[in-house]
Amino acid sequence: MQKLNDFSRSLIALEPDGTLIAVIEMSLSSWLVAGIVPGVERQPLKKLTVDESALLKLLHRWREEAEKAGCRIERIVVAFEAGRDGFWLARWLKARSIEAHVIHAASVAVSREHRRAKTDRLDTQLLKRAFLGWLRGERDHCKMVDIPTIKDEDAKRPNRERENLVSEQSRIINRMKAALIRLGIRGFNPKLKRAAGRLEDLRTPEDEAIPPNTLAELRRDMERRRLVRDQIRQIEEARLERLDHAPGDGPHAMVRLLARVIGVGIETADMLVHEVLSRNMRDRRAVARYAGLTGSPDESGRKRREKGLARSGNARVRRGMIQLAWRFLLHQKDSALTRWFRARTENARGTRKPMIVAMARKLLIALWRLVREGIVPDGVVLRPAQ
């Protein structure tokens, strides 16, 4: 019923005399704005500098042209692809009573020709066709991205920053080990507390000390790793402090509830809540699709095959859920999900990796129901509430 209402509302609202439509092709240096102005036969195309005030003036000027042509504009609709600029422009336009939509870039169908022409002008025409079809109620023309608030975007930053810092720490450690292995030195652990003081005592197989330039490089890497480690600790301590002083509802309550599940830590719970579980998902299928844990069938005529994971969703959620599924098997051995996994992989060789994806999908849906409806998965053990 909700889909039908949205479809009818779009058809009614999209009257030629009442709606001004504009799409924006955005780049770092300029914006190309294409419009459909009621009462004006030409379809204007204007190149602007990256200036939201100039965009607003352009939209108002087009509205005045439509009114001079005898068409009353009651609705201004603007759309652009999700990209580097994020969602600030959509929020800025909405605050000025302009309807703004952000198009999922990968959902717009393009020509499959090997060498197709691609310019900003052609891209705006493609976006206009896709956006018009979406406004008519034909949702398959393109998909829209939910526009988060600044608070929602800011809540994701600690987890994403920590993920980048952990990756940077691994790169530093691997670079140090590689530098030592080139000299024939193995078994040295740069993560130990006294590792920096032991560098000068290391000897190569030729019983020589580490060359001075390499030694200086290793010391700088040690300092970088110490700085990265301190920043990771600061993020973790700040998160725990926020949870202690946060209200008992909303995303913070979801994080506390998820952290009670044995096998789920604060880091994983915080990532899942702010990346997927706090979003308004329609049903369990939408949850699985958002995480990219669904299949990608390839069917044509008699051909029936599965190409593997779609990987069209949130990569952070997908990686985190597959890792969590392996941990879940260790910490929740008596749960219904673990028994289901073991029953299907016990006597079937080579099925553990494909089935762990199905396990991750089922687990994500179970956790979604836990934080939304309070339904504890069958056999799952929870820690005592604090």
Side-chain angles (χ1 to χ4, degrees):
M1 182 61 70
Q2 182 65 31
K3 287 185 178 180
L4 182 59
N5 292 338
D6 292 343
F7 177 79
S8 302
R9 193 181 303 115
S10 297
L11 288 179
I12 294 172
L14 194 60
E15 296 177 356
D17 294 340
T19 304
L20 189 154
I21 300 172
V23 297
I24 311 173
E25 179 66 24
M26 308 176 72
S27 66
L28 293 178
S29 58
S30 63
W31 292 346
L32 186 63
V33 188
I36 300 178
V37 184
V40 179
E41 184 176 356
R42 65 179 178 88
Q43 294 188 358
L45 189 67
K46 180 67 175 179
K47 188 173 184 178
L48 302 175
T49 58
V50 181
D51 185 1
E52 62 275 14
S53 299
L55 173 64
L56 187 62
K57 291 180 181 178
L58 178 65
L59 295 175
H60 289 168
R61 193 184 75 193
W62 285 350
R63 180 174 60 184
E64 293 173 358
E65 292 182 9
E67 291 176 351
K68 289 181 181 178
C71 297
R72 180 188 176 96
I73 300 298
E74 299 177 355
R75 180 189 182 196
I76 301 178
V77 186
V78 178
F80 55 89
E81 286 183 318
R84 188 170 183 173
D85 276 277
F87 303 97
W88 70 268
L89 181 59
R91 290 192 293 263
W92 189 85
L93 290 172
K94 285 190 172 184
R96 286 149 183 82
S97 302
I98 295 177
E99 185 178 339
H101 298 278
V102 180
I103 301 173
H104 194 302
S107 68
V108 179
V110 298
S111 173
R112 295 188 296 176
E113 294 177 347
H114 181 59
R115 291 187 178 182
R116 65 181 182 92
K118 185 184 182 304
T119 64
D120 288 344
R121 184 184 297 269
L122 293 176
D123 287 345
T124 57
Q125 295 177 1
L126 185 64
L127 286 180
K128 276 195 299 185
R129 289 195 296 269
F131 188 45
L132 280 174
W134 186 86
L135 287 174
R136 287 195 301 266
E138 302 173 20
R139 302 304 186 185
D140 291 337
H141 274 269
C142 60
K143 292 181 175 61
M144 297 299 167
V145 182
D146 290 336
I147 301 174
T149 62
I150 294 181
K151 183 178 179 181
D152 293 337
E153 283 194 298
D154 187 64
K156 299 178 182 179
R157 299 316 307 168
N159 186 275
R160 296 186 177 187
E161 182 187 6
R162 183 186 180 278
E163 181 182 9
N164 293 332
L165 290 174
V166 170
S167 299
E168 178 63 23
Q169 181 176 240
S170 299
R171 282 194 293 269
I172 293 173
I173 293 173
N174 293 336
R175 187 167 60 242
M176 294 176 64
K177 289 182 178 179
L180 291 172
I181 289 175
R182 283 195 297 269
L183 299 175
I185 301 174
R186 299 176 182 271
F188 180 77
N189 189 356
K191 295 184 288 185
L192 297 178
K193 291 183 178 180
R194 299 180 181 179
R198 294 179 52 197
L199 287 175
E200 294 183 357
D201 299 333
L202 293 177
R203 291 293 183 271
T204 66
E206 295 87 357
D207 197 23
E208 295 182 1
I210 300 177
N213 291 335
T214 304
L215 182 61
E217 178 187 356
L218 291 173
R219 286 174 175 171
R220 286 190 291 268
D221 282 338
M222 284 283 188
E223 186 64 23
R224 290 191 192 97
R225 181 188 170 274
R226 186 193 62 80
L227 176 60
V228 171
R229 183 188 57 198
D230 292 343
Q231 291 178 345
I232 293 174
R233 188 181 297 114
Q234 291 172 9
I235 294 173
E236 294 173 346
E237 292 175 354
R239 178 191 294 113
L240 293 177
E241 185 177 356
R242 281 196 303 271
L243 286 176
D244 291 339
H245 298 86
D249 57 354
H252 298 291
M254 293 182 182
V255 174
R256 294 193 186 99
L257 179 57
L258 277 187
R260 290 181 57 194
V261 178
I262 295 179
V264 180
I266 290 292
E267 182 65 33
T268 302
D270 184 77
M271 183 273 294
L272 290 177
V273 167
H274 290 109
E275 293 289 347
V276 58
L277 298 181
S278 61
R279 302 171 67 93
N280 293 322
M281 296 293 184
R282 184 178 63 254
D283 53 22
R284 60 185 179 86
R285 292 184 177 86
V287 175
R289 281 196 302 268
Y290 181 81
L293 292 171
T294 56
S296 51
D298 184 11
E299 299 180 359
S300 178
R302 295 182 178 179
K303 182 175 67 174
R304 296 289 188 275
R305 72 185 183 99
E306 185 68 36
K307 293 187 291 185
L309 280 180
R311 296 189 178 183
S312 59
N314 192 314
R316 292 183 177 87
V317 177
R318 182 170 58 253
R319 289 194 304 267
M321 282 309 305
I322 292 177
Q323 294 171 4
L324 178 59
W326 289 115
R327 294 201 307 270
F328 197 82
L329 296 176
L330 297 176
H331 296 283
Q332 299 285 352
K333 296 181 180 180
D334 297 328
S335 65
L337 284 174
T338 301
R339 294 196 302 268
W340 173 86
F341 178 84
R342 289 177 177 171
R344 282 158 176 77
T345 59
E346 187 174 6
N347 298 321
R349 296 184 59 183
T351 60
R352 285 178 61 85
K353 286 186 178 180
M355 290 304 298
I356 202 63
V357 177
M359 171 78 174
R361 180 170 60 248
K362 286 179 173 290
L363 180 57
L364 178 60
I365 294 170
L367 295 179
W368 175 67
R369 287 174 174 167
L370 173 63
V371 299
R372 287 291 179 178
E373 305 171 10
I375 301 175
V376 180
D378 187 16
V380 171
V381 182
L382 302 181
R383 298 184 181 93
Q386 297 181 356

